[in-house]
Amino acid sequence: MIDFPASPTLGQQFTAAGVTWVWDGTKWTASGLGVAYLPLAGGTLTGDLNLAYANPSIELSKVASGGGNYLYGRTGSIARWIMALGDSVAESGSNAGSNFFIYNVGDGGAAIGIPLAINRASGQVSIPNLVSPQAIGDNRIINGDFRIDQRNNGAAGTATQTYTADRWFYGANQTAKGTWQRNTGPAALAATGFPYFLQFTSSSAYAPLAGDFFMYYQPIEADMVSDFNWGSANAQPVTVSFWASASVAGIYGGSLKNSTQTRSYPFSFTLAANTWTKITVTIPGDTAGTWVMNGAAVSMFLSFDLGSGANFRAPANAWAAGNYVSVNGAVSVVATNAAAFYVTGVKLETGNVATPFNRQTLAKSLADCQRYYSTIAVVGQNYQLAGGSNIVSGFLPVAMRATPTLAILQNSSNSTATPTLSANSIGSFYATGTAAANQQLTINVLVSASAEL
Amino acid sequence: MIYTQVWDHMQGQVSDTMIQRDEDGAFIPFDEANADYVEYLWWLDDGNEPNPATPPAVTLPETVPVEDRVADLETRVDQLEGGQ
């Protein structure tokens, strides 16, 4: 027998013997007869729970401070994760207690730790095992993205033994074998993320002699790489990374070698034809040899081979005692008429991992380059008697590596001879001109200052 | 490579602080941290010697003899007196 409540209200529910009845105003009607229902005391659902209305919520309401509101994620019956939306720490006032945390739970069901906790009062978040994003290593190469080309501003050249884009030297013992250029193009940007690159285009099919060399290289100042600790038991590994492309598919070569060119690490990399490829080379620290590891002198050279002879090639990926810029069997760009080689995004850093290229402001990149080369115009005018001299001072934009070599790139002076340039220091110089007659003596020169390694 | 000594206009003598490279006219300071100077030292070690400096040629204005100036003044005075 069912003992229904007396004087029910509309919609009132009454459950008895697993059946819920609803008062419709005139009679009790069984609801969901034949379907199992969770008792209010709790139970286990065997289907999804979907709350579908305007502002659904699931509420965990501990009855008093000191209790805990928990959500469990289990495998079978064993917990794997536990989230506390108010833990059992007593609420002692001033918003204390009932903190948030997440437990990670071991296979046996025991908590391993609390990888995430948030203090309710302070909001302080604790993530004890947070894995930080990988730091970007400092690039020891200057102008690795070839944005700076103070000497040529993108113009091509064929001179040998000369700087091309800033800090990048074209070394060759044979003339008229190719053209160098800091070039640009949308295809490179799309493929590499770098709009500029250093290009070499062969102008003939020249078979290099054993003693020939053709290469791009950057000399690196010792104070830039002191932490490499090379030449000692604490020598650190480094990683060279760059983008390269070539018109001729094959194995190409480069090297890292010391200033006296008695220790070299030739490395190889493979390029498909006309395909920009990201190259990463990890080089173990050299514990042998003599390395200049501090000061303003050159410490090492990073080279890209363009067709060096057998005397400058050695087995790949091993330290060798000697002057090597490439590996045995590498493609010689100069050996194929119109063959081209391209490189950009060059980075040299400590460690075994190639981290992303350091994107720096143009101002900083230019200043880095101006430590080694800059141009500046100086102008001055004064009345001078015949034979008298005027001096005009010039201040270099960046203190240079050493007292610079000064050269006149353009001269609009009216002195009796081309003005003389004298470097005062690593930061300034003066130009001197002599009056041919009593005259307004003008000194107007564009000067280059070079303190390259 | 050929180098030439530099005339110091201020000192009126050959510069003792730099040398000039003929190839590009660059002035190279006597600083051993300067790669161009080191190259110059190697060049000297090979037994070479720089060309001597050439003092700047200065064209002085022509001077007028005193007798001619006096004569010029007398002429002007005569002209002035004649104008009275």
Side-chain angles (χ1 to χ4, degrees):
Chain A
M1 187 177 85
I2 301 173
D3 183 14
F4 289 104
S7 305
T9 59
L10 181 63
Q12 180 176 346
Q13 295 184 350
F14 174 72
T15 301
V19 178
T20 298
W21 302 80
V22 179
W23 180 253
D24 66 3
T26 56
K27 63 182 184 299
W28 289 99
T29 302
S31 171
L33 194 61
V35 178
Y37 289 85
L38 280 178
L40 288 176
T44 302
L45 289 171
T46 56
D48 292 337
L49 176 64
N50 179 21
L51 307 179
Y53 57 100
N55 299 296
S57 63
I58 293 178
E59 299 180 8
L60 305 178
S61 306
K62 56 185 177 182
V63 296
S65 169
N69 296 323
Y70 300 110
L71 290 175
Y72 281 72
R74 302 177 188 273
T75 298
S77 60
I78 304 176
R80 290 291 176 255
W81 293 94
I82 303 171
M83 177 188 290
L85 292 163
D87 65 3
S88 59
V89 174
E91 298 179 8
S92 56
S94 301
N95 308 316
S98 289
N99 301 308
F100 176 95
F101 66 75
I102 294 177
Y103 272 128
N104 53 331
V105 181
D107 291 344
I112 298 173
I114 304 177
L116 172 63
I118 304 176
N119 184 283
R120 186 171 65 92
S122 66
Q124 185 176 38
V125 179
S126 172
I127 308 177
N129 302 315
L130 178 66
V131 178
S132 301
Q134 187 178 38
I136 296 179
D138 288 338
N139 192 358
R140 314 311 167 91
I141 294 295
I142 295 174
N143 201 27
D145 54 4
F146 301 100
R147 288 185 300 175
I148 312 299
D149 186 12
Q150 294 184 86
R151 294 173 178 83
N152 308 293
N153 194 28
T158 58
T160 59
Q161 298 297 98
T162 188
Y163 275 92
T164 60
D166 278 59
R167 301 297 297 121
W168 290 97
F169 195 85
Y170 171 54
N173 68 318
Q174 300 282 357
T175 60
K177 301 304 181 213
T179 300
W180 47 257
Q181 183 178 21
R182 191 292 300 271
N183 210 341
T184 185
L189 176 60
T192 71
F194 297 99
Y196 300 106
F197 51 87
L198 188 58
Q199 175 177 345
F200 180 83
T201 306
S202 173
S203 57
S204 64
Y206 176 74
L209 304 174
D212 283 344
F213 58 86
F214 301 89
M215 58 185 166
Y216 283 138
Y217 70 80
Q218 178 167 138
I220 304 169
E221 192 174 342
D223 276 343
M224 291 280 290
V225 291
S226 299
D227 55 339
F228 287 13
N229 264 318
W230 286 5
S232 79
N234 296 320
Q236 298 298 304
V238 300
T239 297
V240 179
S241 58
F242 56 91
W243 286 88
S245 180
S247 61
V248 177
I251 296 173
Y252 287 77
S255 82
L256 202 57
K257 61 182 179 181
N258 67 352
S259 59
T260 55
Q261 304 184 102
T262 53
R263 296 289 296 173
S264 304
Y265 188 93
F267 59 82
S268 63
F269 52 98
T270 303
L271 299 177
N274 302 312
T275 305
W276 280 103
T277 305
K278 178 70 178 291
I279 306 296
T280 298
V281 179
T282 296
I283 299 175
D286 187 17
T287 56
T290 300
W291 292 85
V292 179
M293 286 283 101
N294 66 281
V298 62
S299 174
M300 59 187 67
F301 300 90
L302 175 64
S303 305
F304 294 103
D305 180 35
L306 302 169
S308 294
N311 292 355
F312 299 103
R313 294 185 169 193
N317 305 325
W319 281 108
N323 178 12
Y324 303 111
V325 298
S326 190
V327 299
N328 296 327
V331 172
S332 290
V333 184
V334 295
T336 303
N337 187 32
F341 174 80
Y342 316 85
V343 64
T344 191
V346 186
K347 184 171 187 178
L348 169 64
E349 61 191 307
T350 56
N352 296 307
V353 177
T355 63
F357 189 89
N358 308 50
R359 303 284 181 167
Q360 298 177 325
T361 65
L362 204 55
K364 181 182 184 306
S365 295
L366 177 60
D368 286 346
C369 293
Q370 287 174 327
R371 174 172 171 78
Y372 304 90
Y373 179 88
S374 63
T375 60
I376 180 174
V378 292
V379 182
Q381 186 182 61
N382 199 5
Y383 189 82
Q384 190 56 262
L385 300 176
S389 297
N390 277 357
I391 287 180
V392 180
S393 295
F395 297 93
L396 299 165
V398 168
M400 302 195 77
R401 184 192 64 82
T403 310
T405 296
L406 303 167
I408 294 176
L409 302 177
Q410 295 174 19
N411 178 28
S412 301
S413 307
N414 63 359
S415 52
T416 184
T418 303
T420 299
L421 304 175
S422 305
N424 292 324
S425 65
I426 59 174
S428 64
F429 68 95
Y430 59 89
T432 307
T434 302
N438 298 346
Q439 64 178 118
Q440 284 289 349
L441 176 58
T442 300
I443 297 174
N444 183 357
V445 287
L446 177 62
V447 174
S448 70
S450 173
E452 295 285 3
L453 289 161
Chain B
M1 197 73 72
I2 298 174
Y3 298 88
T4 300
Q5 295 173 329
V6 179
W7 184 259
D8 186 329
H9 298 271
M10 305 308 295
Q11 301 295 328
Q13 62 183 28
V14 174
S15 173
D16 57 2
T17 61
M18 62 179 167
I19 193 78
Q20 188 168 23
R21 184 170 57 202
D22 287 18
E23 181 183 35
D24 58 357
F27 298 92
I28 299 170
F30 292 168
D31 178 354
E32 292 189 1
N34 183 297
D36 296 316
Y37 180 59
V38 172
E39 192 172 334
Y40 170 66
L41 293 178
W42 291 343
W43 182 81
L44 289 179
D45 284 346
D46 288 340
N48 298 300
E49 290 187 8
N51 295 324
T54 304
V58 177
T59 303
L60 297 175
E62 291 185 7
T63 56
V64 180
V66 175
E67 311 86 69
D68 292 350
R69 292 188 183 182
V70 172
D72 180 56
L73 286 172
E74 289 175 345
T75 302
R76 294 188 185 193
V77 169
D78 290 344
Q79 289 173 343
L80 289 171
E81 290 176 345
Q84 286 179 340

